[in-house]
Amino acid sequence: MSTADIFKKRLRQAVKESTLTVAEYAQDNHRFKSRTGQLERAVNTRMLNDLSGEVFIDNGIAAYAGFVHNGSAPHRIVPNGKKALRWVKNGAFQFARSVNHPGYKGDPFLYTAADDKKREVLATFDRYAELAKEDIATELVKR
């Protein structure tokens, strides 16, 4: 194995571990009230190529995730194909032709996780760089 391949292998491992570190922290540390755990399960990771990865929210699992993460401006909610909206309050149905939603500030928990785990991610890359250095030294001795 070439020294470049050894370094790439260790760098890829560092990227994978770092994305998982940030994703797990984001799942456990947020301000929104979790009712079903669906939004936490929607936090995922993927490798974009050999040397970069990302932490993202899978909208297929939680379509509302963008509104929770980024917030929403005040807006009016109207029924979709019906005459009235309906919800339960104090055990009884409530009806309205429309409601004014006050908006939501948002909880950018992915960005917060990336900021909060920055030191740990840097330490992960330092650790894998040291491992790569040891692997390369071992490989050079073999030759």
Side-chain angles (χ1 to χ4, degrees), residues 39-136:
L39 185 50
E40 289 94 336
R41 284 190 293 280
V43 175
N44 214 329
T45 64
R46 66 178 158 222
M47 294 297 288
L48 297 175
N49 56 47
D50 276 351
L51 302 177
S52 64
E54 73 178 348
V55 179
F56 68 100
I57 300 172
D58 186 344
N59 288 325
I61 296 174
Y64 56 90
F67 299 110
V68 174
H69 191 269
N70 302 323
S72 66
H75 58 282
R76 186 179 179 114
I77 301 174
V78 294
N80 216 359
K82 301 288 182 184
K83 292 182 179 181
L85 299 168
R86 181 181 83 164
W87 66 94
V88 176
K89 182 176 180 182
N90 298 328
F93 286 117
Q94 304 291 310
F95 298 92
R97 292 200 186 275
S98 67
V99 294
N100 291 315
H101 189 284
Y104 177 67
K105 182 180 177 184
D107 177 9
F109 59 96
L110 289 182
Y111 302 144
T112 302
D115 288 342
D116 290 354
K117 288 299 181 178
K118 188 176 186 176
R119 277 199 166 139
E120 191 172 331
V121 167
L122 292 173
T124 298
F125 277 87
D126 287 344
R127 188 173 77 250
Y128 278 99
E130 284 298 317
L131 288 171
K133 188 172 78 172
E134 292 169 11
D135 293 348
I136 290 168

Side-chain angles (χ1 to χ4, degrees), residues 2-66:
S2 74
T3 56
D5 289 339
I6 292 169
F7 188 75
K8 269 185 164 179
K9 174 186 160 195
R10 290 300 187 177
L11 186 56
R12 187 173 30 258
Q13 291 171 330
V15 170
K16 282 184 180 181
E17 185 176 321
S18 296
T19 57
L20 288 173
T21 297
V22 172
E24 289 170 1
Y25 186 83
Q27 289 169 332
D28 296 336
N29 297 277
H30 49 74
R31 292 188 328 261
F32 64 85
K33 182 178 180 181
S34 181
R35 291 184 174 88
T36 64
Q38 201 72 4
L39 185 50
E40 289 94 336
R41 284 190 293 280
V43 175
N44 214 329
T45 64
R46 66 178 158 222
M47 294 297 288
L48 297 175
N49 56 47
D50 276 351
L51 302 177
S52 64
E54 73 178 348
V55 179
F56 68 100
I57 300 172
D58 186 344
N59 288 325
I61 296 174
Y64 56 90

